Amino acid sequence: MTPEIIDYGQFAERLRRHQQGRPRWELLDAVQREWGYEDPGGEPGHSRWGGENQKHGIDWTLPVPQALNEWWDSPLNSFAFNPRLYWVHTQWPPKISELEVGPGSGLLGTEGGDRCVCVFMSEYHYSHEWGYLAAEAELPDPRVVVSLRGEWVVQSRSLSEFLTQLAFERMPAHYGWTLRVRRTTVDADPEIVRRLAASYRELGLLPWQESGTDALSYGAPDAVIRHGRGPGADFRIVINARTRQALIDVAETLGVDWSGDKAIGPPSQVPAPLEELGPVALSEGDADTRGRWTVLSRGPGAPPEVPGAAATLVQPSATVSAVAADQDGTTLAAGDTDGHVHVLETDDEDPETISLALHRAPVSALACLKLDSGRRLVLSGDENGVIRYWSTRRKPLRAPFARRRTPVRALAAAQLETGPALAAAWADGLVRLWDLTSDAVAGLRLGTGVTALGLGADGTLRVTDADGTSVLRLDPAKLWPHRDLRLRLDSVDWGSLWTSRGPGRMIPDLIGKVASDDKKTAMDAVHDLYRLLVSKEASSTAAVPAIPFLVELMTDPDNLSRSTLLLLIADLADVRQARGGRGDAQLAAVREALPVLRYLHDEPESPIRWAANELERNCAASPAS
């Protein structure tokens, strides 16, 4: 489906309406959504107290503006969920800057007043700060000023406008297509700037002053253009667009060459694609091509039975949207349309309902499981596609267990021979099954229309749709072929090993993702491993124990990153310098795997054959002493 085209040439009018009394964070929410940011679900990973918290300059009696408190507490605060989108430091509580407002700045009016500035945020390299005037601290939404060449200048007309503008400055570079035009190009052709002003309207925001860029922003259909007029602007023109074609249209209008090699940068934040599946169509005897499941029977619909008492856990003021119970009916759960999950352990000495606000959308599915240890698990899914997973005696994890951009339609849990397992079905027809012991996951593309799932201790999966229920026999060995590999990964003390970016604690998770049945996830993991492990100086002590796992995944014909993965293994053998014997050990580890990979010379895919030749060549070389 083609997304709606948004003309940012009309943004100034949107901003004017917002300034005339619209809800304070409505525009921020819209800007974030338009550029592709999605509520990740769960709880923020960064709190207001996670900033600099410098003691120097803090005035604890100074009021904090209402807008700043609201931003920190709002689920629309994308910085709290993903600070790396912004590359700024926050300050909480706000501190008093050593730099005061100059008497001739005009910021305090003719009568003067408190010349202090309360800093709440600084640029990533601390080259400048953002704050609000202490004289305006009692206002609900005061102006924001920025330090620039030793003085304070106005950056935004209000705190809420500044935080919206900051999102506008940062997010398009992550979620959109980007073309940067160097200063020399624009200086050589001043007509570019003339065409910009003649063809597009300003966004209505004040010029962005960060690091002396003095950047004025213009709007186009599905694109924004920044003209960096100040000495701090590395690029005179920066175009960000929601689509590649929108960027090309702007570039051609400005007369800017975009045809050079890699001139246009693609989005770095790309959501996983949804499935395009038809309705569930299972019949007795059907089987997965990889042997992961076989349909044992097909009969009338039979969703799991849940004690009616579960629905009574939701207070009358809310609406019940999902219910569940564990295998012996002693753990009851109910979800409501407000996103709350309510749980009652009926066999507790003093039963009491636990109610948690886990979701920001109606709860659409629930599952409960009592483990052999007595621990009770609750799984909840919502209409935003978020799944939360927690134990009733522990605090829920901040991050979602899983998330996809389509509603969760069914959940199930059971204790299998291999250990506890979870199953989830989303509205686009994908069903995922997790082995909790190893964190292995399998994706089954069964089709849309699933209304209920049932996971049996006997290794069966019941799939209910509008026309009936299918019982599938699962084969755990084929369902999770890398389960044993994941368990063996946990036996290595990765934290004591080193990568090019620090301790190797992230290595087992990345190796596990290489086995993903989502190609982007697998490819991204290989690229991350490349950055962490490949070094011609053999500086990564984590490489040697990682190599056997990578080779094992390379021999899996279903792996979705094979050509890139094989090139990673080949480059791990390209060690030029031996430091304390590391180079010899790393090359030896790859050479040991060479016999089991030689069959790849006959692969039909030319990239794999080329990578196999690189592997042979690198293994034939000797590391220099």
Side-chain angles (χ1 to χ4, degrees):
M1 183 175 67
T2 304
E4 175 191 2
I5 294 176
I6 298 172
D7 185 2
Y8 288 103
Q10 305 298 319
F11 189 81
E13 177 61 23
R14 293 171 62 186
L15 181 62
R16 186 188 64 79
R17 292 196 302 268
H18 178 72
Q19 293 167 341
Q20 292 178 346
R22 301 295 290 269
R24 185 171 288 156
W25 305 110
E26 180 183 82
L27 193 57
L28 172 62
D29 184 28
V31 167
Q32 293 184 154
R33 289 176 182 272
E34 288 165 7
W35 283 94
Y37 174 78
E38 296 173 340
D39 182 350
E43 305 302 324
H46 188 92
S47 75
R48 68 181 74 194
W49 296 101
E52 297 308 295
N53 297 322
Q54 298 175 17
K55 295 181 180 180
H56 175 70
I58 289 177
D59 182 353
W60 292 93
T61 65
L62 195 70
V64 176
Q66 179 184 347
L68 189 57
N69 269 312
E70 285 180 358
W71 179 72
W72 274 116
D73 294 335
S74 172
L76 301 178
N77 179 356
S78 53
F79 172 84
F81 286 94
N82 190 355
R84 285 188 176 272
L85 292 174
Y86 287 86
W87 295 104
V88 297
H89 300 284
T90 55
Q91 173 67 47
W92 188 271
K95 70 169 185 175
I96 303 299
S97 175
E98 296 179 358
L99 176 65
E100 293 187 338
V101 174
S105 66
L107 291 174
L108 299 175
T110 56
E111 298 181 1
D114 191 338
R115 296 171 57 191
C116 293
V117 173
C118 309
V119 173
F120 64 91
M121 188 177 290
S122 61
E123 189 268 340
Y124 189 66
H125 296 291
Y126 299 100
S127 61
H128 59 267
E129 301 173 320
W130 290 287
Y132 51 88
L133 302 175
E136 299 179 356
E138 302 241 16
L139 297 177
D141 201 2
R143 292 179 295 174
V144 170
V145 293
V146 60
S147 56
L148 186 66
R149 294 186 291 274
E151 63 178 350
W152 293 102
V153 298
V154 175
Q155 172 59 83
S156 300
R157 288 168 286 245
S158 66
L159 245 167
S160 58
E161 182 177 308
F162 166 77
L163 293 166
T164 299
Q165 188 171 5
L166 180 63
F168 226 147
E169 287 293 322
R170 298 297 199 260
M171 285 196 171
H174 293 284
Y175 293 95
W177 297 81
T178 303
L179 177 64
R180 297 179 175 89
V181 184
R182 295 189 178 278
R183 179 192 302 266
T184 54
T185 301
V186 178
D187 289 348
D189 183 7
E191 287 297 300
I192 293 175
V193 175
R194 187 194 64 78
R195 287 189 287 267
L196 172 63
S199 304
Y200 302 109
R201 296 175 59 190
E202 295 180 21
L203 292 184
L205 298 165
L206 299 184
W208 188 249
Q209 299 296 341
E210 183 175 7
S211 299
T213 57
D214 190 32
L216 191 60
S217 294
Y218 296 79
D222 273 346
V224 292
I225 311 103
R226 294 173 183 82
H227 175 207
R229 305 172 297 181
D234 293 330
F235 299 93
R236 282 297 192 202
I237 300 291
V238 177
I239 307 170
N240 293 120
R242 296 172 71 224
T243 66
R244 190 174 188 274
Q245 186 58 52
L247 186 146
I248 292 172
D249 291 343
V250 172
E252 291 182 342
T253 299
L254 299 183
V256 172
D257 181 21
W258 54 269
S259 59
D261 184 35
K262 297 183 180 178
I264 297 178
S268 60
Q269 299 282 334
V270 180
L274 297 178
E275 300 293 334
E276 296 182 0
L277 303 173
V280 175
L282 297 171
S283 301
E284 185 174 336
D286 288 350
D288 180 37
T289 56
R290 292 158 62 180
R292 296 175 298 176
W293 54 265
T294 303
V295 179
L296 298 179
S297 64
R298 171 75 178 174
E305 293 185 7
V306 179
T312 65
L313 302 180
V314 176
Q315 297 299 314
S317 59
T319 302
V320 177
S321 53
V323 292
D326 64 12
Q327 60 269 43
D328 60 9
T330 57
T331 307
L332 305 181
D336 61 38
T337 53
D338 293 332
H340 294 77
V341 177
H342 314 269
V343 178
L344 177 67
E345 298 175 3
T346 61
D347 56 349
D348 191 72
E349 291 183 3
D350 187 17
E352 183 178 356
T353 300
I354 303 169
S355 297
L356 297 174
L358 294 181
H359 298 270
R360 290 188 287 278
V363 177
S364 55
L366 286 166
C368 302
L369 175 65
K370 182 186 290 183
L371 303 180
D372 292 342
S373 63
R375 183 181 170 201
R376 304 167 197 252
L377 305 181
V378 178
L379 199 66
S380 57
D382 67 27
E383 290 290 338
N384 283 348
V386 174
I387 296 177
R388 303 293 300 272
Y389 158 79
W390 56 294
S391 170
T392 57
R393 302 301 172 92
R394 298 180 184 179
K395 188 177 181 179
L397 296 176
R398 285 182 173 273
F401 178 73
R403 187 195 189 284
R404 301 184 68 247
R405 296 178 299 122
T406 187
V408 179
R409 286 294 172 244
L411 296 168
Q415 182 88 26
L416 308 182
E417 288 186 3
T418 50
L422 306 177
W426 279 271
D428 66 339
L430 180 69
V431 173
R432 278 185 177 160
L433 291 103
W434 289 267
D435 172 69
L436 293 185
T437 304
S438 65
D439 290 330
V441 59
L444 310 182
R445 291 160 177 82
L446 299 184
T448 59
V450 174
T451 58
L453 292 175
L455 197 55
D458 59 352
T460 57
L461 177 68
R462 297 184 304 279
V463 181
T464 300
D465 56 69
D467 299 321
T469 295
S470 302
V471 179
L472 281 61
R473 167 69 68 185
L474 302 176
D475 184 333
K478 294 179 179 178
L479 194 66
W480 301 304
H482 303 296
R483 181 178 184 274
D484 179 63
L485 178 145
R486 286 177 171 269
L487 294 174
R488 284 185 280 115
L489 277 170
D490 292 338
S491 67
V492 178
D493 182 10
W494 297 101
S496 66
L497 301 172
W498 207 252
T499 74
S500 62
R501 305 290 176 90
R505 296 185 183 90
M506 70 289 289
I507 296 298
D509 182 57
L510 289 173
I511 293 177
K513 288 180 178 178
V514 174
S516 173
D517 61 357
D518 176 74
K519 185 171 184 177
K520 184 179 185 303
T521 299
M523 293 291 286
D524 287 349
V526 173
H527 291 150
D528 287 341
L529 287 168
Y530 199 102
R531 287 189 286 269
L532 294 172
L533 298 179
V534 173
S535 168
K536 291 186 178 181
E537 289 76 36
S539 60
S540 170
T541 59
V544 171
I547 287 169
F549 295 106
L550 300 175
V551 171
E552 186 174 338
L553 290 172
M554 189 62 221
T555 60
D556 177 7
D558 293 320
N559 188 275
L560 298 178
S561 62
R562 297 176 75 224
S563 60
T564 310
L565 176 57
L566 185 57
L567 196 58
L568 166 63
I569 297 170
D571 283 347
L572 285 170
D574 186 15
V575 187
R576 301 301 186 197
Q577 299 178 24
R579 185 179 298 173
R582 292 179 188 170
D584 297 313
Q586 188 168 312
L587 179 57
V590 180
R591 282 175 171 170
E592 184 177 349
L594 193 57
V596 301
L597 297 176
R598 282 205 164 108
Y599 76 96
L600 296 171
H601 286 290
D602 299 324
E603 274 283 321
E605 297 181 39
S606 59
I608 293 181
R609 295 197 304 272
W610 183 85
N613 289 332
E614 285 291 295
L615 177 63
E616 291 279 2
R617 184 176 66 83
N618 292 343
C619 283
S622 298
S625 59

mmCIF file of all heavy atoms in Angstrom, residues 79-114:
data_model
loop_
_atom_site.group_PDB
_atom_site.id
_atom_site.type_symbol
_atom_site.label_atom_id
_atom_site.label_comp_id
_atom_site.label_asym_id
_atom_site.label_seq_id
_atom_site.Cartn_x
_atom_site.Cartn_y
_atom_site.Cartn_z
ATOM 1 N N PHE A 79 13.090 9.758 23.086
ATOM 2 C CA PHE A 79 14.439 9.768 23.637
ATOM 3 C C PHE A 79 14.571 8.767 24.778
ATOM 4 O O PHE A 79 15.562 8.041 24.875
ATOM 5 C CB PHE A 79 14.800 11.173 24.150
ATOM 6 C CG PHE A 79 16.103 11.206 24.914
ATOM 7 C CD1 PHE A 79 17.311 11.308 24.239
ATOM 8 C CD2 PHE A 79 16.122 11.118 26.297
ATOM 9 C CE1 PHE A 79 18.516 11.316 24.938
ATOM 10 C CE2 PHE A 79 17.311 11.121 27.000
ATOM 11 C CZ PHE A 79 18.518 11.222 26.321
ATOM 12 N N ALA A 80 13.562 8.692 25.642
ATOM 13 C CA ALA A 80 13.630 7.785 26.785
ATOM 14 C C ALA A 80 13.651 6.325 26.342
ATOM 15 O O ALA A 80 14.205 5.465 27.029
ATOM 16 C CB ALA A 80 12.454 8.034 27.733
ATOM 17 N N PHE A 81 13.052 6.025 25.193
ATOM 18 C CA PHE A 81 13.026 4.654 24.695
ATOM 19 C C PHE A 81 14.251 4.330 23.846
ATOM 20 O O PHE A 81 14.676 3.178 23.794
ATOM 21 C CB PHE A 81 11.754 4.418 23.874
ATOM 22 C CG PHE A 81 10.520 4.292 24.715
ATOM 23 C CD1 PHE A 81 9.719 5.391 24.962
ATOM 24 C CD2 PHE A 81 10.163 3.078 25.275
ATOM 25 C CE1 PHE A 81 8.585 5.285 25.747
ATOM 26 C CE2 PHE A 81 9.034 2.959 26.055
ATOM 27 C CZ PHE A 81 8.238 4.066 26.301
ATOM 28 N N ASN A 82 14.813 5.337 23.167
ATOM 29 C CA ASN A 82 15.959 5.083 22.294
ATOM 30 C C ASN A 82 16.830 6.334 22.216
ATOM 31 O O ASN A 82 16.773 7.093 21.244
ATOM 32 C CB ASN A 82 15.497 4.673 20.898
ATOM 33 C CG ASN A 82 16.640 4.175 20.029
ATOM 34 O OD1 ASN A 82 17.803 4.207 20.426
ATOM 35 N ND2 ASN A 82 16.321 3.716 18.833
ATOM 36 N N PRO A 83 17.678 6.575 23.235
ATOM 37 C CA PRO A 83 18.510 7.785 23.238
ATOM 38 C C PRO A 83 19.430 7.904 22.036
ATOM 39 O O PRO A 83 19.802 9.007 21.649
ATOM 40 C CB PRO A 83 19.316 7.643 24.544
ATOM 41 C CG PRO A 83 18.505 6.734 25.415
ATOM 42 C CD PRO A 83 17.841 5.781 24.466
ATOM 43 N N ARG A 84 19.809 6.763 21.411
ATOM 44 C CA ARG A 84 20.747 6.820 20.293
ATOM 45 C C ARG A 84 20.135 7.468 19.047
ATOM 46 O O ARG A 84 20.856 7.762 18.091
ATOM 47 C CB ARG A 84 21.265 5.425 19.960
ATOM 48 C CG ARG A 84 22.278 4.912 20.969
ATOM 49 C CD ARG A 84 22.925 3.625 20.518
ATOM 50 N NE ARG A 84 23.950 3.189 21.445
ATOM 51 C CZ ARG A 84 25.222 3.568 21.389
ATOM 52 N NH1 ARG A 84 25.603 4.394 20.442
ATOM 53 N NH2 ARG A 84 26.100 3.125 22.263
ATOM 54 N N LEU A 85 18.845 7.692 19.067
ATOM 55 C CA LEU A 85 18.248 8.448 17.965
ATOM 56 C C LEU A 85 18.651 9.913 18.027
ATOM 57 O O LEU A 85 18.532 10.642 17.034
ATOM 58 C CB LEU A 85 16.724 8.341 18.007
ATOM 59 C CG LEU A 85 16.091 6.979 17.700
ATOM 60 C CD1 LEU A 85 14.592 7.054 17.930
ATOM 61 C CD2 LEU A 85 16.389 6.555 16.268
ATOM 62 N N TYR A 86 19.118 10.346 19.194
ATOM 63 C CA TYR A 86 19.289 11.780 19.419
ATOM 64 C C TYR A 86 20.734 12.230 19.608
ATOM 65 O O TYR A 86 21.095 13.337 19.248
ATOM 66 C CB TYR A 86 18.482 12.194 20.655
ATOM 67 C CG TYR A 86 17.009 12.225 20.403
ATOM 68 C CD1 TYR A 86 16.228 11.081 20.536
ATOM 69 C CD2 TYR A 86 16.381 13.392 19.997
ATOM 70 C CE1 TYR A 86 14.873 11.097 20.274
ATOM 71 C CE2 TYR A 86 15.018 13.431 19.744
ATOM 72 C CZ TYR A 86 14.275 12.281 19.895
ATOM 73 O OH TYR A 86 12.931 12.300 19.632
ATOM 74 N N TRP A 87 21.580 11.440 20.244
ATOM 75 C CA TRP A 87 22.955 11.830 20.523
ATOM 76 C C TRP A 87 23.009 13.162 21.280
ATOM 77 O O TRP A 87 23.681 14.100 20.872
ATOM 78 C CB TRP A 87 23.784 11.884 19.241
ATOM 79 C CG TRP A 87 23.934 10.545 18.620
ATOM 80 C CD1 TRP A 87 23.290 10.054 17.530
ATOM 81 C CD2 TRP A 87 24.772 9.470 19.091
ATOM 82 N NE1 TRP A 87 23.665 8.752 17.278
ATOM 83 C CE2 TRP A 87 24.582 8.371 18.214
ATOM 84 C CE3 TRP A 87 25.675 9.324 20.149
ATOM 85 C CZ2 TRP A 87 25.245 7.151 18.383
ATOM 86 C CZ3 TRP A 87 26.338 8.122 20.301
ATOM 87 C CH2 TRP A 87 26.124 7.052 19.432
ATOM 88 N N VAL A 88 22.287 13.211 22.379
ATOM 89 C CA VAL A 88 22.355 14.344 23.297
ATOM 90 C C VAL A 88 22.435 13.797 24.725
ATOM 91 O O VAL A 88 22.164 12.621 24.972
ATOM 92 C CB VAL A 88 21.117 15.266 23.172
ATOM 93 C CG1 VAL A 88 21.033 15.888 21.791
ATOM 94 C CG2 VAL A 88 19.829 14.520 23.513
ATOM 95 N N HIS A 89 22.857 14.652 25.633
ATOM 96 C CA HIS A 89 22.864 14.322 27.057
ATOM 97 C C HIS A 89 21.745 15.110 27.726
ATOM 98 O O HIS A 89 21.557 16.299 27.434
ATOM 99 C CB HIS A 89 24.199 14.696 27.707
ATOM 100 C CG HIS A 89 25.372 13.994 27.115
ATOM 101 N ND1 HIS A 89 25.661 12.681 27.377
ATOM 102 C CD2 HIS A 89 26.343 14.423 26.270
ATOM 103 C CE1 HIS A 89 26.755 12.331 26.740
ATOM 104 N NE2 HIS A 89 27.186 13.366 26.046
ATOM 105 N N THR A 90 21.037 14.472 28.623
ATOM 106 C CA THR A 90 20.007 15.180 29.376
ATOM 107 C C THR A 90 20.522 15.505 30.773
ATOM 108 O O THR A 90 21.456 14.879 31.275
ATOM 109 C CB THR A 90 18.730 14.343 29.478
ATOM 110 O OG1 THR A 90 19.044 13.062 30.037
ATOM 111 C CG2 THR A 90 18.097 14.160 28.112
ATOM 112 N N GLN A 91 19.906 16.476 31.385
ATOM 113 C CA GLN A 91 20.284 16.914 32.724
ATOM 114 C C GLN A 91 19.046 16.930 33.598
ATOM 115 O O GLN A 91 18.082 17.634 33.306
ATOM 116 C CB GLN A 91 20.889 18.315 32.662
ATOM 117 C CG GLN A 91 21.152 18.933 34.013
ATOM 118 C CD GLN A 91 22.235 18.212 34.784
ATOM 119 O OE1 GLN A 91 23.287 17.926 34.234
ATOM 120 N NE2 GLN A 91 21.993 17.890 36.043
ATOM 121 N N TRP A 92 19.063 16.088 34.634
ATOM 122 C CA TRP A 92 17.948 16.101 35.578
ATOM 123 C C TRP A 92 18.478 15.915 36.993
ATOM 124 O O TRP A 92 19.242 14.994 37.226
ATOM 125 C CB TRP A 92 16.950 14.981 35.260
ATOM 126 C CG TRP A 92 15.719 15.118 36.107
ATOM 127 C CD1 TRP A 92 15.500 14.578 37.353
ATOM 128 C CD2 TRP A 92 14.560 15.881 35.810
ATOM 129 N NE1 TRP A 92 14.286 14.951 37.829
ATOM 130 C CE2 TRP A 92 13.682 15.759 36.906
ATOM 131 C CE3 TRP A 92 14.171 16.661 34.736
ATOM 132 C CZ2 TRP A 92 12.440 16.377 36.947
ATOM 133 C CZ3 TRP A 92 12.940 17.274 34.779
ATOM 134 C CH2 TRP A 92 12.082 17.123 35.869
ATOM 135 N N PRO A 93 18.061 16.794 37.871
ATOM 136 C CA PRO A 93 17.242 17.981 37.606
ATOM 137 C C PRO A 93 18.039 19.023 36.831
ATOM 138 O O PRO A 93 19.271 18.968 36.811
ATOM 139 C CB PRO A 93 16.879 18.475 39.008
ATOM 140 C CG PRO A 93 17.979 17.966 39.882
ATOM 141 C CD PRO A 93 18.399 16.652 39.305
ATOM 142 N N PRO A 94 17.360 19.976 36.193
ATOM 143 C CA PRO A 94 18.089 21.005 35.453
ATOM 144 C C PRO A 94 19.085 21.729 36.359
ATOM 145 O O PRO A 94 18.829 21.938 37.544
ATOM 146 C CB PRO A 94 16.979 21.952 34.972
ATOM 147 C CG PRO A 94 15.763 21.075 34.911
ATOM 148 C CD PRO A 94 15.902 20.133 36.068
ATOM 149 N N LYS A 95 20.223 22.049 35.799
ATOM 150 C CA LYS A 95 21.259 22.743 36.577
ATOM 151 C C LYS A 95 21.382 24.194 36.107
ATOM 152 O O LYS A 95 20.970 24.545 35.003
ATOM 153 C CB LYS A 95 22.598 22.037 36.441
ATOM 154 C CG LYS A 95 23.217 22.178 35.059
ATOM 155 C CD LYS A 95 24.662 21.696 35.040
ATOM 156 C CE LYS A 95 25.282 21.958 33.672
ATOM 157 N NZ LYS A 95 26.714 21.619 33.637
ATOM 158 N N ILE A 96 21.972 25.015 36.950
ATOM 159 C CA ILE A 96 22.209 26.400 36.592
ATOM 160 C C ILE A 96 23.514 26.476 35.812
ATOM 161 O O ILE A 96 24.559 26.017 36.268
ATOM 162 C CB ILE A 96 22.305 27.287 37.853
ATOM 163 C CG1 ILE A 96 21.032 27.146 38.696
ATOM 164 C CG2 ILE A 96 22.529 28.741 37.463
ATOM 165 C CD1 ILE A 96 19.775 27.569 37.990
ATOM 166 N N SER A 97 23.463 27.022 34.626
ATOM 167 C CA SER A 97 24.654 27.134 33.790
ATOM 168 C C SER A 97 25.604 28.195 34.343
ATOM 169 O O SER A 97 25.186 29.191 34.945
ATOM 170 C CB SER A 97 24.262 27.508 32.358
ATOM 171 O OG SER A 97 25.408 27.731 31.571
ATOM 172 N N GLU A 98 26.908 27.955 34.127
ATOM 173 C CA GLU A 98 27.894 28.955 34.509
ATOM 174 C C GLU A 98 27.811 30.179 33.599
ATOM 175 O O GLU A 98 28.269 31.268 33.961
ATOM 176 C CB GLU A 98 29.295 28.346 34.445
ATOM 177 C CG GLU A 98 29.506 27.212 35.449
ATOM 178 C CD GLU A 98 30.894 26.611 35.333
ATOM 179 O OE1 GLU A 98 31.653 27.063 34.446
ATOM 180 O OE2 GLU A 98 31.219 25.698 36.118
ATOM 181 N N LEU A 99 27.252 29.983 32.397
ATOM 182 C CA LEU A 99 27.094 31.085 31.454
ATOM 183 C C LEU A 99 25.765 31.782 31.715
ATOM 184 O O LEU A 99 24.702 31.163 31.630
ATOM 185 C CB LEU A 99 27.146 30.559 30.019
ATOM 186 C CG LEU A 99 26.912 31.570 28.896
ATOM 187 C CD1 LEU A 99 28.039 32.606 28.863
ATOM 188 C CD2 LEU A 99 26.798 30.847 27.546
ATOM 189 N N GLU A 100 25.811 33.067 32.039
ATOM 190 C CA GLU A 100 24.592 33.816 32.299
ATOM 191 C C GLU A 100 24.146 34.581 31.055
ATOM 192 O O GLU A 100 24.905 34.746 30.102
ATOM 193 C CB GLU A 100 24.815 34.803 33.455
ATOM 194 C CG GLU A 100 25.050 34.124 34.799
ATOM 195 C CD GLU A 100 25.097 35.117 35.938
ATOM 196 O OE1 GLU A 100 25.368 36.321 35.671
ATOM 197 O OE2 GLU A 100 24.854 34.716 37.081
ATOM 198 N N VAL A 101 22.910 35.025 31.093
ATOM 199 C CA VAL A 101 22.371 35.839 29.999
ATOM 200 C C VAL A 101 23.058 37.201 30.017
ATOM 201 O O VAL A 101 23.158 37.845 31.073
ATOM 202 C CB VAL A 101 20.848 36.011 30.149
ATOM 203 C CG1 VAL A 101 20.307 36.984 29.098
ATOM 204 C CG2 VAL A 101 20.160 34.660 30.022
ATOM 205 N N GLY A 102 23.559 37.610 28.877
ATOM 206 C CA GLY A 102 24.233 38.904 28.795
ATOM 207 C C GLY A 102 23.253 40.054 28.959
ATOM 208 O O GLY A 102 22.089 39.962 28.547
ATOM 209 N N PRO A 103 23.711 41.152 29.552
ATOM 210 C CA PRO A 103 22.799 42.288 29.784
ATOM 211 C C PRO A 103 22.265 42.908 28.496
ATOM 212 O O PRO A 103 21.200 43.507 28.495
ATOM 213 C CB PRO A 103 23.688 43.275 30.554
ATOM 214 C CG PRO A 103 25.091 42.870 30.239
ATOM 215 C CD PRO A 103 25.063 41.399 30.045
ATOM 216 N N GLY A 104 22.970 42.745 27.398
ATOM 217 C CA GLY A 104 22.503 43.339 26.151
ATOM 218 C C GLY A 104 21.803 42.368 25.233
ATOM 219 O O GLY A 104 21.558 42.686 24.065
ATOM 220 N N SER A 105 21.451 41.176 25.731
ATOM 221 C CA SER A 105 20.851 40.158 24.865
ATOM 222 C C SER A 105 19.402 40.440 24.513
ATOM 223 O O SER A 105 18.882 39.957 23.513
ATOM 224 C CB SER A 105 20.924 38.790 25.550
ATOM 225 O OG SER A 105 20.106 38.777 26.707
ATOM 226 N N GLY A 106 18.723 41.217 25.371
ATOM 227 C CA GLY A 106 17.303 41.485 25.151
ATOM 228 C C GLY A 106 16.395 40.364 25.587
ATOM 229 O O GLY A 106 15.167 40.469 25.463
ATOM 230 N N LEU A 107 16.946 39.281 26.121
ATOM 231 C CA LEU A 107 16.122 38.135 26.521
ATOM 232 C C LEU A 107 15.298 38.426 27.766
ATOM 233 O O LEU A 107 14.253 37.811 27.976
ATOM 234 C CB LEU A 107 17.002 36.912 26.768
ATOM 235 C CG LEU A 107 17.673 36.294 25.539
ATOM 236 C CD1 LEU A 107 18.622 35.180 25.957
ATOM 237 C CD2 LEU A 107 16.621 35.761 24.587
ATOM 238 N N LEU A 108 15.784 39.344 28.611
ATOM 239 C CA LEU A 108 15.099 39.610 29.877
ATOM 240 C C LEU A 108 14.272 40.886 29.846
ATOM 241 O O LEU A 108 13.729 41.295 30.865
ATOM 242 C CB LEU A 108 16.133 39.688 31.007
ATOM 243 C CG LEU A 108 16.956 38.415 31.229
ATOM 244 C CD1 LEU A 108 18.017 38.645 32.288
ATOM 245 C CD2 LEU A 108 16.056 37.259 31.630
ATOM 246 N N GLY A 109 14.165 41.500 28.711
ATOM 247 C CA GLY A 109 13.380 42.722 28.634
ATOM 248 C C GLY A 109 14.165 43.911 29.162
ATOM 249 O O GLY A 109 15.316 43.804 29.594
ATOM 250 N N THR A 110 13.543 45.041 29.194
ATOM 251 C CA THR A 110 14.217 46.266 29.611
ATOM 252 C C THR A 110 14.451 46.317 31.110
ATOM 253 O O THR A 110 15.362 47.001 31.579
ATOM 254 C CB THR A 110 13.380 47.492 29.187
ATOM 255 O OG1 THR A 110 12.060 47.358 29.743
ATOM 256 C CG2 THR A 110 13.272 47.567 27.669
ATOM 257 N N GLU A 111 13.635 45.603 31.898
ATOM 258 C CA GLU A 111 13.770 45.661 33.354
ATOM 259 C C GLU A 111 14.823 44.701 33.879
ATOM 260 O O GLU A 111 15.161 44.719 35.055
ATOM 261 C CB GLU A 111 12.416 45.355 34.016
ATOM 262 C CG GLU A 111 11.343 46.361 33.644
ATOM 263 C CD GLU A 111 10.022 46.041 34.328
ATOM 264 O OE1 GLU A 111 9.986 45.046 35.088
ATOM 265 O OE2 GLU A 111 9.058 46.770 34.105
ATOM 266 N N GLY A 112 15.350 43.828 33.043
ATOM 267 C CA GLY A 112 16.349 42.860 33.512
ATOM 268 C C GLY A 112 15.700 41.788 34.360
ATOM 269 O O GLY A 112 14.537 41.448 34.184
ATOM 270 N N GLY A 113 16.446 41.237 35.291
ATOM 271 C CA GLY A 113 15.919 40.172 36.149
ATOM 272 C C GLY A 113 16.957 39.091 36.342
ATOM 273 O O GLY A 113 18.164 39.308 36.139
ATOM 274 N N ASP A 114 16.506 37.926 36.744
ATOM 275 C CA ASP A 114 17.396 36.799 36.990
ATOM 276 C C ASP A 114 18.099 36.426 35.686
ATOM 277 O O ASP A 114 17.466 36.073 34.699
ATOM 278 C CB ASP A 114 16.577 35.612 37.515
ATOM 279 C CG ASP A 114 17.461 34.497 38.052
ATOM 280 O OD1 ASP A 114 18.636 34.429 37.663
ATOM 281 O OD2 ASP A 114 16.963 33.693 38.866
#
